[in-house]
């Protein structure tokens, strides 16, 4: 038992060391010729974050240390590529959303203006391209395809569903905007470790599913977040469609006075605190919340199923634990 525990602690220490190295490398790669550009490029990185994508790179690279040992330099490079791509997209998102805050601090566009924020996002995309080139042409191709999906997802979100089913349109947007880069994170980790093609496919499928689940969990938390400390109703107030509201609209009963009132609120300006509180209260009591949680649980189990044939060990256990985490955080 002691030996097993010692191995587990040693493995966790290795993962933490790699994540620390990635964190330092992120700040270093964001340095520019101009002090102002350096400050702006490091702004979002220095504010912190979940670093979920680098974590997936590291875990996937550690999946089978007996037959596939990943060079640490390549693990760091792969993690830099996916996190720089993610951070760069945040600069552009904040401009499009006219966001004033990012991770508790002034957004880059609020501090330096939209033009600088867009260009700094471009600068970070360029840095990601520089790093991915060091990994090889196959990684460049995968990164380009991922970036194309991310952009198409943003465009689809901007133009709306049109004649398409709003819920299916939204799920496609989530898959392209969020899940695509998370899937690439897991795939990059497997590739730098030299994992066999079957393992690579399984991890990419896992990443696609767990990436979607994380966004859907955030949808629920936006409405039910009193216990998490997050300000509830942010997406609701901004009129952003999310899983619970789309499920509500799909199943709303026009003959119900309660449903009619909630529909009216969702179609109105929710800048008034009292109206927002009423909308939150009605949504929390509606079956759409449990329906959304059931969808999170279903997709979480599907993500877990992709791990079934992967090598047993602490890395697979950690990936499986993420499936539990997404369910717990939305409960």
């Amino acid at each position: 038992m002691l030996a097993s525990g010692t191995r587990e602690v040693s493995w966790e220490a290795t993962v933490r060391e790699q994540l620390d190295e990635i964190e330092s490398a992120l700040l270093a790669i964001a340095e520019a010729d101009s002090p102002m550009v350096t400050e702006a490029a490091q702004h979002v990185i220095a504010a912190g974050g979940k670093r979920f994508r680098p974590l997936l790179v590291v875990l996937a690279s550690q999946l089978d240390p007996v037959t596939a040992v990943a060079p640490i330099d390549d693990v760091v490079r792969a993690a830099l590529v996916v996190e720089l791509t993610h951070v760069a997209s945040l600069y552009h998102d904040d401009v499009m959303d006219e966001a004033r805050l990012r991770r508790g601090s002034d957004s880059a566009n609020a501090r330096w203006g939209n033009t600088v924020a867009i260009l700094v996002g471009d600068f970070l995309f360029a840095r990601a391209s520089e790093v991915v080139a060091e990994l090889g042409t196959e990684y460049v191709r995968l990164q380009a395809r991922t970036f194309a999906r991310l952009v198409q997802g943003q465009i689809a979100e901007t133009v709306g569903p049109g004649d398409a089913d709003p819920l299916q349109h939204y799920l496609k947007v989530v898959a392209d905007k969020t899940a695509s880069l998370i899937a690439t994170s897991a795939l990059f980790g497997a590739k730098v470790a030299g994992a066999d093609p079957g393992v690579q496919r399984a991890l990419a499928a896992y990443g696609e599913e767990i990436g979607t689940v994380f966004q859907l969990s955030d949808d629920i938390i936006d409405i039910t977040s009193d216990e998490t400390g997050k300000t509830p109703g942010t997406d609701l107030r901004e009129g952003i469609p999310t899983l619970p509201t789309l499920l509500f609209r799909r199943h709303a009963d026009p003959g119900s006075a309660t449903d009619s009132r909630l529909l009216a609120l969702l179609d109105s300006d929710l800048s008034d605190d009292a109206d927002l509180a009423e909308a939150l209260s009605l949504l929390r009591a509606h079956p759409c919340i449990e329906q959304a949680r059931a969808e999170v649980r279903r997709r979480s189990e599907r993500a877990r199923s992709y791990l079934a044939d992967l090598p047993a060990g602490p890395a697979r256990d950690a990936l499986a634990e993420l499936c539990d985490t997404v369910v717990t955080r939305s409960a």
Side-chain angles (χ1 to χ4, degrees):
M1 293 294 293
L2 179 60
S4 176
T6 301
R7 285 197 300 271
E8 183 175 343
V9 170
S10 177
W11 178 82
E12 291 178 354
T14 299
V15 170
R16 284 195 297 269
E17 287 172 5
Q18 292 190 9
L19 291 173
D20 288 343
E21 185 170 346
I22 291 164
E23 194 69 24
S24 298
L26 277 169
L27 289 170
I29 198 68
E31 291 181 357
D33 295 338
S34 160
M36 186 278 288
V37 176
T38 297
E39 182 184 4
Q42 292 179 340
H43 182 66
V44 172
I45 295 171
K50 298 182 182 71
R51 302 291 188 252
F52 183 60
R53 293 154 190 82
L55 174 62
L56 281 184
V57 171
V58 172
L59 292 180
S61 73
Q62 293 277 336
L63 191 65
D64 189 7
V66 174
T67 60
V69 179
I72 181 58
D73 288 348
D74 285 348
V75 173
V76 172
R77 289 186 184 101
L80 286 177
V81 171
V82 294
E83 190 66 8
L84 284 171
T85 301
H86 170 59
V87 172
S89 72
L90 296 181
Y91 281 81
H92 290 179
D93 284 351
D94 284 348
V95 171
M96 295 184 67
D97 298 339
E98 300 181 354
R100 310 308 297 170
L101 294 174
R102 167 63 63 181
R103 295 172 179 169
S105 303
D106 289 342
S107 63
N109 48 296
R111 185 166 178 179
W112 289 284
N114 285 347
T115 300
V116 169
I118 291 170
L119 291 171
V120 168
D122 292 344
F123 170 76
L124 293 174
F125 279 129
R127 285 292 197 233
S129 298
E130 180 182 1
V131 176
V132 77
E134 298 176 9
L135 290 170
T137 55
E138 189 173 359
Y139 293 86
V140 173
R141 186 180 300 109
L142 286 169
Q143 176 67 0
R145 289 174 178 170
T146 303
F147 190 35
R149 283 188 64 189
L150 193 157
V151 172
Q152 290 180 93
Q154 182 63 69
I155 293 171
E157 182 180 61
T158 301
V159 302
D163 295 331
D165 177 76
L167 180 57
Q168 294 306 312
H169 173 267
Y170 176 69
L171 292 173
K172 182 66 165 60
V173 166
V174 169
D176 286 341
K177 273 193 66 177
T178 302
S180 63
L181 188 56
I182 292 175
T184 295
S185 302
L187 179 56
F188 270 17
K191 288 184 72 64
V192 297
D196 69 56
V199 170
Q200 292 185 32
R201 286 191 296 271
L203 283 169
Y206 165 86
E208 183 88 18
E209 201 65 52
I210 205 71
T212 298
V213 171
F214 259 84
Q215 181 58 57
L216 299 186
S217 294
D218 280 348
D219 288 357
I220 299 170
I221 290 169
D222 183 65
I223 295 169
T224 64
S225 62
D226 284 344
E227 296 179 359
T228 69
K230 178 184 175 183
T231 302
T234 302
D235 292 338
L236 204 60
R237 172 165 272 166
E238 295 177 359
I240 298 173
T242 61
L243 181 63
T245 57
L246 289 167
L247 287 172
F248 165 73
R249 289 182 182 278
R250 171 171 283 190
H251 299 292
D253 179 4
S256 164
T258 300
D259 284 10
S260 295
R261 173 58 179 164
L262 181 51
L263 279 171
L265 285 168
L266 293 178
D267 290 334
S268 70
D269 178 5
L270 290 175
S271 59
D272 182 81
D273 288 345
D275 287 344
L276 179 64
E278 183 182 0
L280 284 170
S281 177
L282 292 174
L283 271 172
R284 289 173 179 178
H286 195 275
C288 66
I289 296 298
E290 182 49 41
Q291 292 166 0
R293 286 173 173 155
E295 179 66 5
V296 165
R297 290 192 295 269
R298 183 184 72 81
R299 287 179 174 269
S300 173
E301 288 308 309
R302 186 156 73 182
R304 192 194 309 274
S305 71
Y306 292 119
L307 305 174
D309 296 329
L310 299 185
R316 190 181 74 173
D317 292 344
L319 291 169
E321 187 176 343
L322 290 176
C323 298
D324 298 324
T325 301
V326 293
V327 172
T328 303
R329 69 197 288 265
S330 64

